[in-house]
Every structure is written in structure tokens, then in C-alpha cells.
């Protein structure tokens, strides 16, 4: 569904206390619909969408989402203030609750287009981009960034970056607590090789107490989340939330104080059936959706068979929904 901002349903309150990171090729609309079955309060992000894709491509396809995905943020990649402002308007018009600027992606492809982590070397440009978007829309504009890039990785330079972007009106910064090394490392290596420096992010919170500082990078458990929330305003999980999605089932109770019972793995997948039926009726393939649920199959007898059903057997069957029902049965009681 291409949702309108005028939908009648009241929106859940947006809070960044716990969020799932934008991840290329992973946090598409099907993934987000699934994650929403597990947590009603987690803030969800799109994959990064470039301004060019929205302004010169199929904007409807990139902006499409289901109303149940809220609270929902669109992450943009770009560095031309006018283009970002135009894309922020599209995001607001189609109902997104937040627009986030990517200043953290280290890949060569985005660097060549002045997108992502390389922008940390251009704090005034980032400030101009933020101001242009803030002037264009009423939803909040936030920034996700690294603690530095090679050649510009001192704490003073990080504070200069934060300070200039704050002057443009940004009040929420999601800090991936590693530097990005822009030459010689792959994006995957940039998520693993530069050491995590939670102490640097904590110093930012101390030195900029008026700002919302969200910690990202290497967080794997809700116990770690609770510890970080003693210092930071929020935590963002990336790959762990994707590979082990069932940890989200406890987020509402443990981090938001909800008294709603923890959903079972089986019920979470069973809830997906009408959505999958609709996708199939529209000509889609079931694996577009079920590739995102494979992480439910962990740590119990039959988990391997569950993953095989939805990753291998799914391509051989003429009855995908029957296969889905079989997978749900394997989850019962776990």
C-alpha cells in the first residue's frame, strides 16, 4: 500500500529509545512488517534511499509501506540540500515520521556521489543539508554518523561536526561508535575492523547534554541495551536484530514497560499469513518476505528444518502457503 499521511489511524508515539538500524538489502518493507509483529514500540528505518532514486526513479516503490510499520523513519542518502529538501517533502507527504540523513555509509559507490561517511569531512555541507530539510518539513530531521573518518578522527573534529549540525537545528544524533576507513576496507570490514569506542559516544552525551544521542554499533542483547540506556537516550541494533529477530519480542516489555504478553515465534509468523497471501495475489514471490524471517529458526529442535523449508523448499513448491503453515507448526512451543 502506498500510504497517505492522512490515514485516520492514530500513530504510535515515536521514541528512539530502541530502534532497528537501516540496512541495505535487508530493512525493506517486508522486513519491517515482520519486525513490527514482534515489537510495537521499536522505531523502524528504511534502507538508505538516495535522492536520485526518489527524484529520478520509481519514488512510489521506494516510499511504499504499510500503515502498521509506524513509527517509521526514511533514511536518505545525498548531499545536495535542495534535492534532500524535495525528498524530505515526499517522505512527509507519504506519512513517514522522521527523515534521517546517512553520514555513516563507507562504501566506495556512495563516496563517489558524496553520500555517507565521507560527509563527516564536510560538516558545513551536512549542516546546510539538515537546514534545508528542516525548512521543508515538519517531521524531525536526524543524522546517523560515525565518530570520525580516517584523517579526521580526533574528538575535537567530531565535536566540530556535531556543533555545526546542531546549529542547523538537528537535535538527534545516532552515533555508530566506530570511525569509517574510507580507503582499503569493504563496508563489511568497516563494521568490524575499526574498534568500537563507546567511551567517545558517551563523552559526546556529556559534552552535548541538550542533544539526543543514540548509540549504535556492536550491541547484541537487551541486557546490553539496558546498560547503555543508563548513559544514552536510545540504542539502535542492526545486524543482531536481523539475524536474531526474536529478541525484539521482549523489547516492549523490557525497555518500554509494556504489559502486553510476549508474542510467540509461531504467532508472529502466523500473523504474517494474510500479508503474504496479499503479496502472492499481487504476483509477488513468498521468498521476498520469508527470507527475512529465517532468524526465527534458532536454538530449538527443528530450527534447521524450519530454515530449510523457507529458504530451499520454498523455491520447489507449488503450494507456498502450505509450506508456510508447516513452518509455523515447527515453531509451536518454542
Amino acid at each position: 500500500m502506498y500510504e497517505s499521511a492522512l490515514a485516520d489511524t492514530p500513530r504510535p508515539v515515536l521514541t528512539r529509545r530502541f530502534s532497528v538500524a537501516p540496512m541495505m538489502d535487508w530493512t525493506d518493507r517486508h522486513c519491517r512488517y515482520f519486525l513490527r509483529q514482534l515489537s510495537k514500540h521499536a522505531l523502524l528505518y528504511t534502507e538508505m534511499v538516495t535522492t536520485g532514486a526518489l527524484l529520478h526513479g520509481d519514488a512510489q516503490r521506494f516510499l511504499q509501506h504499510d500503515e502498521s510499520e509506524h513509527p517509521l523513519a526514511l533514511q536518505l542518502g545525498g548531499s545536495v540540500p535542495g534535492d534532500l529538501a524535495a525528498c524530505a517533502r515526499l517522505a512527509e507527504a507519504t506519512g513517514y515520521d522522521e527523515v534521517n540523513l546517512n553520514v555513516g555509509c563507507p562504501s566506495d559507490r556512495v563516496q563517489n556521489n558524496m553520500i555517507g561517511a565521507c560527509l563527516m569531512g564536510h560538516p558545513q555541507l551536512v549542516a546546510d543539508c539538515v537546514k534545508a530539510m528542516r525548512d521543508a518539513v515538519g517531521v524531525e530531521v536526524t543524522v546517523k554518523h560515525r565518530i570520525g573518518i580516517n584523517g579526521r578522527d580526533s574528538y575535537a573534529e567530531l565535536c566540530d561536526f556535531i556543533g555545526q549540525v546542531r546549529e542547523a537545528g538537528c537535535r538527534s544524533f545516532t552515533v555508530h561508535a566506530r570511525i569509517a576507513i574510507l580507503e582499503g576496507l569493504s563496508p563489511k570490514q568497516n563494521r568490524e575492523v575499526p574498534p568500537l569506542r563507546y567511551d567517545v559516544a558517551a563523552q559526546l552525551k556529556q559534552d552535548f547534554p541538550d542533544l539526543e544521542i543514540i548509540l549504535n554499533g556492536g550491541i547484541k542483547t537487551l541486557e546490553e541495551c539496558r546498560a547503555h540506556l543508563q548513559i544514552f537516550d536510545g540504542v539502535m541494533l542492526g545486524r543482531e536484530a536481523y539475524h536474531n529477530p526474536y529478541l525484539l519480542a521482549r523489547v516492549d516489555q523490557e525497555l518500554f514497560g509494556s504489559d502486553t504478553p510476549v508474542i510467540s515465534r509461531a504467532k508472529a509468523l502466523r500473523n504474517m499469513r494474510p500479508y503474504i497471501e496479499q503479496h502472492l495475489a499481487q504476483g509477488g514471490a513468498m521468498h521476498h518476505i520469508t527470507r527475512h524471517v529465517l532468524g526465527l529458526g534458532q536454538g530449538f529442535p527443528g530450527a534447521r528444518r524450519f530454515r530449510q523449508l523457507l529458504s530451499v523448499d520454498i523455491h520447489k513448491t507449488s503450494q507456498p502457503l502450505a509450506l508456510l503453515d508447516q513452518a509455523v507448526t515447527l515453531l509451536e512451543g518454542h
Side-chain angles (χ1 to χ4, degrees):
M1 299 169 67
Y2 191 50
E3 293 292 351
S4 163
L6 302 177
D8 296 330
T9 317
R11 290 281 173 80
V13 175
L14 184 153
T15 167
R16 299 180 190 86
R17 183 171 173 81
F18 180 94
S19 56
V20 178
M23 291 176 281
M24 292 301 292
D25 301 321
W26 287 2
T27 51
D28 64 16
R29 61 192 176 93
H30 303 313
C31 175
R32 300 189 306 263
Y33 188 91
F34 164 58
L35 295 178
R36 185 58 72 212
Q37 309 310 309
L38 299 168
S39 168
K40 300 306 178 191
H41 295 296
L43 173 60
L44 302 179
Y45 283 80
T46 66
E47 306 167 86
M48 181 187 73
V49 182
T50 65
T51 54
L54 285 184
L55 298 177
H56 310 298
D58 185 350
Q60 177 166 335
R61 178 170 70 85
F62 287 110
L63 294 171
Q64 186 177 8
H65 62 278
D66 189 90
E67 189 65 20
S68 69
E69 293 171 40
H70 295 282
L72 179 63
L74 175 72
Q75 188 184 65
L76 291 173
S79 58
V80 177
D83 289 353
L84 284 163
C87 291
R89 287 190 200 97
L90 288 173
E92 184 176 54
T94 48
Y96 283 87
D97 303 303
E98 173 192 312
V99 178
N100 178 267
L101 180 63
N102 184 317
V103 191
C105 181
S107 84
D108 292 340
R109 184 169 58 87
V110 298
Q111 283 183 61
N112 293 337
N113 292 303
M114 276 294 281
I115 297 171
C118 62
L119 289 173
M120 292 210 69
H122 305 274
Q124 186 55 58
L125 176 57
V126 175
D128 292 344
C129 291
V130 165
K131 184 178 188 307
M133 288 189 284
R134 280 177 49 80
D135 288 348
V137 297
V139 295
E140 193 156 0
V141 176
T142 66
V143 171
K144 184 174 187 289
H145 61 94
R146 297 286 183 124
I147 57 172
I149 52 177
N150 51 311
R152 188 183 167 89
D153 58 4
S154 72
Y155 185 68
E157 287 165 319
L158 176 59
C159 288
D160 177 54
F161 172 84
I162 297 283
Q164 291 195 50
V165 179
R166 177 180 66 174
E167 287 299 308
C170 184
R171 287 292 171 267
S172 183
F173 294 78
T174 298
V175 183
H176 185 163
R178 289 184 171 94
I179 69 164
I181 297 174
L182 299 182
E183 301 89 22
L185 291 186
S186 69
K188 180 178 186 296
Q189 289 170 319
N190 256 302
R191 292 190 297 267
E192 299 166 353
V193 173
L196 282 164
R197 294 290 308 276
Y198 294 149
D199 58 313
V200 172
Q203 189 66 46
L204 279 180
K205 181 59 194 173
Q206 188 171 322
D207 292 341
F208 295 90
D210 57 312
L211 298 180
E212 183 178 64
I213 304 292
I214 312 301
L215 182 68
N216 171 234
I219 306 169
K220 294 185 179 299
T221 68
L222 296 190
E223 290 69 31
E224 290 173 43
C225 289
R226 279 197 298 272
H228 290 309
L229 286 169
Q230 301 302 308
I231 299 169
F232 299 98
D233 300 297
V235 288
M236 175 183 276
L237 269 67
R239 316 196 98 60
E240 189 65 22
Y242 189 85
H243 291 308
N244 182 24
Y246 195 59
L247 70 77
L248 266 72
R250 291 166 34 229
V251 161
D252 292 357
Q253 290 77 9
E254 297 196 18
L255 300 185
F256 291 95
S258 170
D259 55 8
T260 307
V262 173
I263 193 170
S264 69
R265 295 173 198 253
K267 188 171 192 317
L269 187 55
R270 197 180 299 115
N271 287 352
M272 296 291 294
R273 199 182 200 278
Y275 181 85
I276 291 171
E277 284 183 45
Q278 183 183 36
H279 183 65
L280 293 174
Q282 293 169 346
M286 195 163 90
H287 75 268
H288 295 158
I289 300 171
T290 54
R291 72 186 182 99
H292 298 302
V293 312
L294 299 179
L296 283 177
Q298 284 191 37
F300 60 88
R304 184 176 179 187
R305 176 63 183 143
F306 169 85
R307 295 193 302 271
Q308 182 184 354
L309 276 173
L310 296 183
S311 62
V312 179
D313 297 6
I314 197 172
H315 298 288
K316 307 172 186 174
T317 184
S318 59
Q319 296 182 298
L321 289 170
L323 207 66
L324 180 74
D325 295 337
Q326 193 178 341
V328 170
T329 302
L330 287 174
L331 293 178
E332 295 287 0
H334 301 295

